[in-house]
Amino acid sequence: MMLEELKERVCAANLALVKHGLVVLTWGNASAIDRERGLVVIKPSGVSYDTMRPEDMVVVDLEGRVVEGRFRPSSDTPTHIVLYKAFPSVGGVVHTHSTCATAWAQAARSIPNLGTTHADVFHTDVPVTAEIPDARIRDAYEEATGDSIVEAFRRLGVSPEETPAALAVHHGPFTWGPAVEKAVENAVTLEAVAEMAERALALNPDARMNPAMTEKHYSRKHGPAAYYGQR
Amino acid sequence: MMLEELKERVCAANLALVKHGLVVLTWGNASAIDRERGLVVIKPSGVSYDTMRPEDMVVVDLEGRVVEGRFRPSSDTPTHIVLYKAFPSVGGVVHTHSTCATAWAQAARSIPNLGTTHADVFHTDVPVTAEIPDARIRDAYEEATGDSIVEAFRRLGVSPEETPAALAVHHGPFTWGPAVEKAVENAVTLEAVAEMAERALALNPDARMNPAMTEKHYSRKHGPAAYYGQR
Amino acid sequence: MMLEELKERVCAANLALVKHGLVVLTWGNASAIDRERGLVVIKPSGVSYDTMRPEDMVVVDLEGRVVEGRFRPSSDTPTHIVLYKAFPSVGGVVHTHSTCATAWAQAARSIPNLGTTHADVFHTDVPVTAEIPDARIRDAYEEATGDSIVEAFRRLGVSPEETPAALAVHHGPFTWGPAVEKAVENAVTLEAVAEMAERALALNPDARMNPAMTEKHYSRKHGPAAYYGQR
Amino acid sequence: MMLEELKERVCAANLALVKHGLVVLTWGNASAIDRERGLVVIKPSGVSYDTMRPEDMVVVDLEGRVVEGRFRPSSDTPTHIVLYKAFPSVGGVVHTHSTCATAWAQAARSIPNLGTTHADVFHTDVPVTAEIPDARIRDAYEEATGDSIVEAFRRLGVSPEETPAALAVHHGPFTWGPAVEKAVENAVTLEAVAEMAERALALNPDARMNPAMTEKHYSRKHGPAAYYGQR
């Protein structure tokens, strides 16, 4: 059996999504990539979290072909692969239908950067994707979802490192990171800031953060001047 | 003792409603039908979930007469029976007072299909029933509740297979499925999409999903072209 | 030691409030009355729920004098006593600061009867009390809180049996019942219907239940024609 | 090793924030001061709560220099120090990103004193700080955050004893108390009243508490005439 350690980490990441309250039933999926071998480890499709074990994870190549595994891979696998191909620094991807982030996706609104909880992790608003053309929805839809995320970041001039999250319109959040554990953390933060932003705008529709604070909080945790955490 | 396996499944389904946070106190009930024998197994009325065991389940026939059981059946039994009679593909029925779905029922509004979480399971808006005439509320009210659900689906041209859920106006959600376990899952999904839709409309009162995405997500999981899950 | 069984039940009722998520820190209190002896058993003031035991409960008479107990009784004791004196059918009283019911009290609005979850337990809107005059706030305030509840029911022509709950304006909910266990259940229901009503009005500010359904649901569970639960 | 008992209490306080649902991931921090020695014990920066032990706490002096500890102190340490210097009665400080209190901070609104849950602990509205000038955001930002809290209390004529909480604008809540355990309790209360006030204003935008009730509830628990709890 190959990629045993990565399977354990991907399985643990999927279970962490349940523990953090981001996933119910069989919704959501986490994956990680082995960049050297060009292989992705991902959750099987529609399998219960109650009995999920590392050996149930599916290994696919970057064309989406199953290389190892008894199960079919997550139906969202093509979306993960597009993100791994387009964003070379990404080591792990997470997709959930967490309540508040999904509500923003259903509302077709980007999540505005209203506070330091957001700016600590996401440098910009968390972009919502543009509508996917009907022809692409009907054919290779999951790939088109990935393309719409990549397109949004290019159009807005945002890098996937500075803002490791997107909302697939009408669908829900995708997050990523250098490792799958970080992608899970970013999914937790995204749901929290989605709820905070909804509540803040209900209290004050004109709420906006001072741009100097955005820069300060983002740079406290990221880049050469970072001073948060242990180094 | 008859129908032992079905009693175990119905008891487990009722307890699952508590575990999923859809039921408090003694609200809610789940049932399953044995189509060959024409018998329904249902939760007893007003019994605590803390001590509920399979042998407490009540067996009734399709006229609502108790065939076996120490307890009285759920007061909503006539509603379940109407659904079993009118919807021949249904094997299990669930009723809850889950918070967000009940709020939509109290608001007398159907839950709009605003996202893929909804479309993965429910093909259309989840219909709210019309007002029940006062005369029927006073006499055979629970049967009238079932009739109002059947009537809503006929009026709207929606099949109970494509959208296995309804909101009884001012009352709360009913869900169903080919098996009682699926009816429980549909109750979980319904509560989630009820909350998401409420939040999405607060963020954007004009939110609407692209119809092509509705079709795509529904057909990913249902019908001849389905490719979600293990097959 | 006296009233041992009642102390156990009152202690269990107080702990049930925590378990149901209605109480944090030391907020909230439950009591029960022994009508024959004219004695009330109530939670001590400001004692942690983590270590609370039946022998910590305080026994007071109907003038509020401590008859037994190492601790001071809840500061809300005079409110409980007013309710026991004015409502002879009441055997137990519960006060919490549960989030949604308290929000209605802070909004100085009665909770409208918008659905069957409400009507199953509360026959009418759950009344909010009138403002307490400043002079009474300064002197014998807790007694005045009880008086304001009694006054609201008299003014509205509502009996404490048909609607066993009130909102003390700017303060929070009180519930009661023939036994303290029922008062706890009513506190659970009240918080649920408070949340449902808030959400329902956000979805439809004109939401109102058909009066015939109100009567039907209330009479399913109460009075001579009741047919809910086991008999 | 020094200050062992205080390290245990500060560690327990940080873990209590997680238990009360006020903190996810590594957000939030609690500290306590030994006034005699002029030393502060505080949570290390960015360390997981899952494995946190008393010996991981960091000891700093009132210039922010690490006196003992393997880890770097919380990046918010300068804010804590400003509060200890300006508010001599304070023995413990807590900072969280709890959802509802943070939403008020993001909305740049003080939390109005709408009910007795608030008035029992906070005598006035919980103030939001003014915007921090850009120059100070870029240089010594965390100290400036502390200064903005102190400035708000001076400007409003509110004492840190009567209202032991503030909202750092766009950021989140800080609470304090004579001991770190009380600062944790105040953080719990603050989150509760933040949620209640948001819901109350949604139900009634003109909600306001009678000032006589504010005084009554505050004085029930504080000052010479207090009669809540055990004495």
Side-chain angles (χ1 to χ4, degrees), chain A residues 1 4 7-8 11 41 52-58:
Chain A
M1 205 170 78
E4 289 196 48
K7 284 178 186 170
E8 280 183 20
C11 184
V41 176
M52 196 179 289
R53 294 165 308 169
E55 54 265 40
D56 299 335
M57 301 300 109
V58 186

Side-chain angles (χ1 to χ4, degrees), chain A residues 25-27 45 71-72 75-76 97 99-100 102-104 106-107 109 134 137-138 141-142 170-171 198, chain B residues 114-117 185 189 192 195-196 199-200 203-204 207-208 210 212-213 216-217 220 227-231:
Chain A
L25 300 179
T26 63
W27 310 343
S45 181
F71 292 115
R72 295 170 61 168
S75 57
D76 293 311
H97 289 219
T99 306
C100 296
T102 300
W104 284 91
Q106 291 188 353
R109 289 182 66 176
D134 283 12
I137 289 172
R138 292 195 195 99
Y141 163 69
E142 289 81 6
H170 313 309
H171 187 167
E198 181 190 336
Chain B
L114 298 186
T116 64
T117 317
E185 271 191 34
T189 301
E195 180 172 0
M196 287 172 184
R199 291 179 181 271
L203 291 167
N204 178 3
R208 275 294 168 277
N210 180 338
M213 277 187 74
K216 180 66 186 182
H217 269 266
R220 286 212 308 181
Y227 57 93
Y228 180 91
Q230 307 300 325
R231 274 141 228 284

Side-chain angles (χ1 to χ4, degrees), chain A residues 64-93:
Chain A
R65 291 177 296 230
V66 173
V67 173
E68 193 186 71
R70 295 177 289 136
F71 292 115
R72 295 170 61 168
S74 165
S75 57
D76 293 311
T77 301
T79 312
H80 290 239
I81 289 176
V82 167
L83 298 178
Y84 286 124
K85 283 180 171 168
F87 299 161
S89 68
V90 169
V93 171

